[in-house]
Amino acid sequence: AIQMTQSPSSLSASVGDRVTITCRASQGIRNDLGWYRQKPGKAPKLLIYAASSLQSGVPSRFSGSGSGTDFTLTISSLQPEDFATYYCLQDFNFPRTFGQGTKVEIK
Amino acid sequence: QVQLVESGGGVVQPGRSLRLSCAASGFTFSSYGIHWVRQAPGRGLEWVAIISYDGSNKYYADSVKGRFTISRDNSKNTLYLQMNSLRAEDTAVYYCAKDRRDYELLSAFDIWGQGTMVTVSS
């Protein structure tokens, strides 16, 4: 199974900050990666698919980049609703595998 | 609107069985692969299984292979997860999630249900 490793596991930031989260795959997965945000007690929400495509209805402060093994999610200006946990998920093969998550907390 | 609603969770003893359901509405259910994803308390997300749009292809995580069975009834717009030989480590919130692209097996998950809690305990 492909291992997905996110970093950092957690970070503290303030409203308005620029935040970057990284996901590394144990083998090349082309651009077959998505990013999800999960607020406490809620279901995950798709933010980015195909590594860099913004899902419909998602604010433009979210962006994704990367291909092969290294991927990045960037939030250009952190908003109060963005304090949550973020996961990457590879869409390359089965079994599907998530990163372990990155918790974004209020500084 | 496009919606997935899970049901069937509860408390069950180790070794027993449980069947989860996921009712879909607002989209052409028979055109999309659907997944089960679970999340143990305080832990991350774990993909469990997928069934293709027509039910002809199914894949499972190694942790549930041979114990869980995914199925669907396109006439009822409903997905199922039959869970047998349950273990304490199966305790989790179980989500169903829809593929973003129709007729594809490998796609992002664009719609998620609210989840149903399964607790395996004696």
Side-chain angles (χ1 to χ4, degrees), chain B residues 86-117:
Chain B
L86 282 161
R87 306 167 180 168
E89 54 265 36
D90 296 318
T91 294
V93 175
Y94 285 73
Y95 298 100
C96 54
K98 166 190 166 291
D99 271 334
R100 189 183 67 84
R101 295 186 300 181
D102 55 2
Y103 306 112
E104 295 280 347
L105 277 178
L106 290 164
S107 174
F109 305 162
D110 66 340
I111 301 295
W112 296 65
Q114 85 287 352
T116 187
M117 182 70 203

Side-chain angles (χ1 to χ4, degrees), chain B residues 15-69:
Chain B
R16 304 297 291 265
S17 300
L18 200 63
R19 188 177 83 157
L20 305 183
S21 299
C22 169
S25 59
F27 65 99
T28 305
F29 181 72
S30 59
S31 298
Y32 292 89
I34 309 286
H35 304 253
W36 287 102
V37 176
R38 68 184 181 183
Q39 187 169 37
R43 306 295 296 273
L45 299 168
E46 179 188 15
W47 176 81
V48 172
I50 181 190
I51 186 167
S52 60
Y53 67 96
D54 60 356
S56 62
N57 290 285
K58 304 174 185 179
Y59 295 91
Y60 298 91
D62 286 346
S63 58
V64 307
K65 201 173 293 183
R67 299 188 299 123
F68 289 12
T69 301

